[in-house]
Amino acid sequence: PSGSGTVTGTGADNQVAVWTSSSGIEGTSNLVFSGGQILTKDTSGDASVKVWAGGSSDPRLQFTVEGATDYVIGLDNDAGDALKFCRSSTVGTTTQMTIDAAGLVGIGGTPTSLSASTVALHVIGDNAELKAEASSGGGWALSHYKTPTASWTVGSDNDDKFRITNSTSFTTDSRFVIDAAGLCGIGGTPVAKLDVLGVGSALNRFGDGTSLG
């Protein structure tokens, strides 16, 4: 509403007053200005901030340090309303990360689809790298599940051995192990440069299936 009026109610410190009609202002809104911050609070429900733009615009939140490069988080209307994190003041310029409408994530660029499969996480760049870092005494893992039968885990337990297992755990169904000394084990933990553990032939020659050991 528009017009003029007088403040009604007592209000509260630091709360931003709002128009309740064309002739009245209420001084107890859920918007608070305090210590250089604008806050929203709602003790009876879920507080939220909504950035609303027209149908062909890019709603955004912009972060600026004086004299430094801006960062912006917003929806890129020209890219199917993908959520983008950009090192600039414009959505879609110098994009650092993208989450598209299908939930695909691209770091350093736009995530892609390959054939009938979707790339859920796509790291793009001259030296694209994924790093998994655990605290001292911990481990790291990448797990792949194919419901309901197959599970594979790749990573390192807290024993500093690199493992590939046919399970969701590092302690069962070990398929390949490399320890800190460079020893390699197929089917279990190695005690030599190359250990093949298990029942049956260690190596077959392709063609006629002749066993070599």
Side-chain angles (χ1 to χ4, degrees), residues 122-147:
H122 188 176
V123 182
I124 305 154
D126 294 336
N127 297 292
E129 179 181 345
L130 282 176
K131 182 176 182 179
E133 183 174 349
S135 61
S136 176
W140 64 270
L142 296 175
S143 295
H144 173 74
Y145 298 87
K146 185 177 181 180
T147 304

Side-chain angles (χ1 to χ4, degrees), residues 24-206:
I25 298 177
E26 175 60 53
T28 56
S29 73
N30 290 328
L31 194 61
V32 178
F33 181 80
S34 177
Q37 302 180 73
I38 297 178
L39 313 172
T40 178
K41 67 176 184 178
D42 187 346
T43 57
S44 61
D46 298 323
S48 65
V49 175
K50 184 175 183 178
V51 181
W52 194 345
S56 60
S57 302
D58 299 329
R60 74 195 74 184
L61 292 174
Q62 184 171 334
F63 303 88
T64 302
V65 175
E66 186 175 359
T69 302
D70 293 332
Y71 271 89
V72 66
I73 302 172
L75 301 181
D76 190 348
N77 178 262
D78 294 331
D81 290 332
L83 177 64
K84 294 191 175 183
F85 298 74
C86 307
R87 195 179 184 199
S88 71
S89 59
T90 304
V91 175
T93 301
T94 317
T95 300
Q96 306 291 306
M97 185 170 75
T98 300
I99 305 175
D100 70 11
L104 306 184
V105 179
I107 298 175
T110 301
T112 60
S113 297
L114 302 178
S115 301
S117 301
T118 56
V119 181
L121 176 61
H122 188 176
V123 182
I124 305 154
D126 294 336
N127 297 292
E129 179 181 345
L130 282 176
K131 182 176 182 179
E133 183 174 349
S135 61
S136 176
W140 64 270
L142 296 175
S143 295
H144 173 74
Y145 298 87
K146 185 177 181 180
T147 304
T149 57
S151 298
W152 287 90
T153 298
V154 177
S156 177
D157 205 353
N158 57 11
D159 58 1
D160 291 330
K161 292 182 176 66
F162 175 80
R163 300 176 184 270
I164 300 176
T165 65
N166 190 198
S167 70
T168 59
S169 163
F170 284 133
T171 59
T172 58
D173 296 323
S174 180
R175 299 294 181 252
F176 185 69
V177 179
I178 304 175
D179 70 12
L183 306 184
C184 300
I186 298 175
T189 301
V191 294
K193 286 293 185 183
L194 177 61
D195 261 351
V196 182
L197 297 91
V199 179
S201 299
L203 182 64
N204 283 339
R205 186 177 68 190
F206 289 101

Side-chain angles (χ1 to χ4, degrees), residues 5-23:
T6 58
V7 175
T8 61
T10 58
D13 289 347
N14 299 320
Q15 287 189 258
V16 178
V18 295
W19 288 95
T20 57
S21 67
S22 61
S23 60

